[in-house]
Amino acid sequence: QLQLVESGGGLVQPGGSLRLSCAASGFTLAIGWFRQAPGKEREGVSCISSGGGRTNYADSVKGRFTVSRDNAKNTVYLQMNSLKPEDTAIYYCAAAKSRNLRPGCPPATEYDAWGQGTQVTVSS
């Protein structure tokens, strides 16, 4: 039922910035951001609670990425600054199927709606 659409990816030079958007077709609880690079496992990047009061980040992006949401627009954003070549991946957003009452992000198995992904390439 719930549909998610990512946008904002593209090609950027190292040190540059991109802002990804995740537009949902309706109400969402927690939203997670994941990425998968060629030859690597899927990695959890960040997540944000339903009201935006709690956010979490993977150590690899902490201090560089910021997740936020505008619930009036049913949209979640991932601001990515100081991008590195190792950030190159397909980025996905996902909607949690139930409330998360524990510290940290829900595991991938707790998301039941996923977007199609948007490609981020960081290269000179």
Side-chain angles (χ1 to χ4, degrees):
Q1 288 282 310
L2 185 66
Q3 298 181 66
L4 303 175
V5 179
E6 302 96 335
S7 62
L11 175 64
V12 65
Q13 293 186 339
S17 297
L18 285 173
R19 189 192 195 194
L20 305 184
S21 297
C22 174
S25 61
F27 168 81
T28 60
L29 295 173
I31 292 289
W33 285 97
F34 297 82
R35 66 186 182 185
Q36 188 163 23
K40 296 185 178 181
E41 296 181 353
R42 182 178 59 192
E43 176 188 18
V45 176
S46 181
C47 61
I48 186 168
S49 61
S50 61
R54 294 183 178 182
T55 59
N56 290 280
Y57 302 91
D59 288 342
S60 59
V61 307
K62 193 172 298 181
R64 299 187 297 119
F65 291 11
T66 303
V67 65
S68 62
R69 65 191 300 162
D70 183 346
N71 284 344
K73 298 180 179 179
N74 288 331
T75 301
V76 174
Y77 305 97
L78 185 66
Q79 178 67 46
M80 306 185 297
N81 298 327
S82 301
L83 284 162
K84 305 174 180 179
E86 51 262 44
D87 295 318
T88 296
I90 301 175
Y91 283 71
Y92 302 89
C93 63
K97 61 183 178 182
S98 62
R99 293 188 65 189
N100 176 43
L101 302 179
R102 295 181 292 272
C105 292
T109 54
E110 294 300 312
Y111 299 90
D112 64 356
W114 293 75
Q116 83 289 347
T118 185
Q119 176 71 49
V120 172
T121 302
V122 185
S123 176
S124 59

